[in-house]
Amino acid sequence: MIVIDYRDKRPIYEQVEEKLSKLVVQGVLETDSKLPSVRALAIELSINPNTIQRAYTQLEEKGYIYTIKGKGNYVSPKNDWIEERKKMILEEMRKVVNMAKAVGIEKEEFIGRVEEVYREEMT
């Protein structure tokens, strides 16, 4: 389910968070499905339970999961987090467009490159 890259410079909790959020976005983890317990996932990945708890806390803050006290962590319905995610992506896009304009990349070239990347990611 999750593979930790120990050569990655990011903290392990960020890697766990990223990989779980991708599984949610891709629909691999379905709405209202129960996530592994903190302890079980920590054992599976051979990492500290506090690391998993931190990743789960971040995912909950971003709306990807919700917690039921005494029962565990579950995948949130898509509509709970998708709009926030879209806003975040569009804001990042705005920053990238401004950086591109600042270095003189023309609109046509920029759009062409975006289309190229989009095609590559769709295959």
Side-chain angles (χ1 to χ4, degrees):
M1 180 157 126
I2 296 174
V3 177
I4 303 299
D5 179 0
Y6 291 99
R7 291 176 290 155
D8 191 325
K9 294 182 183 192
R10 294 176 301 153
I12 293 173
Y13 82 91
E14 285 183 9
Q15 292 183 51
V16 172
E17 176 192 348
E18 176 194 36
K19 299 209 170 141
L20 284 172
S21 68
K22 280 185 178 180
L23 292 172
V24 171
V25 170
Q26 294 169 346
V28 174
L29 296 174
E30 297 178 3
T31 297
D32 296 323
S33 64
K34 190 173 191 293
L35 295 173
S37 70
V38 168
R39 183 175 297 164
L41 190 54
I43 290 169
E44 180 183 324
L45 298 175
S46 299
I47 58 178
N48 190 310
N50 291 330
T51 301
I52 301 300
Q53 184 58 55
R54 189 165 180 189
Y56 278 9
T57 299
Q58 294 292 317
L59 288 165
E60 186 169 17
E61 286 175 5
K62 293 178 180 176
Y64 289 103
I65 67 173
Y66 62 93
T67 302
I68 299 177
K69 294 276 187 208
K71 295 203 181 243
N73 297 289
Y74 297 84
V75 177
S76 295
K78 197 172 194 174
N79 59 348
D80 285 358
W81 53 265
I82 195 76
E83 288 305 315
E84 188 59 36
R85 182 84 173 149
K86 283 180 182 179
K87 276 194 253 179
M88 192 171 67
I89 290 167
L90 292 173
E91 185 55 39
E92 288 299 314
M93 186 182 73
R94 179 180 303 282
K95 291 176 188 175
V96 170
V97 167
N98 286 330
M99 287 188 298
K101 287 167 71 176
V103 297
I105 297 174
E106 296 294 327
K107 177 182 172 183
E108 294 75 22
E109 179 184 1
F110 185 83
I111 291 171
R113 295 293 175 112
V114 168
E115 289 174 343
E116 182 180 307
V117 170
Y118 206 88
R119 277 192 304 275
E120 288 172 1
E121 294 299 318
M122 297 305 282
T123 58

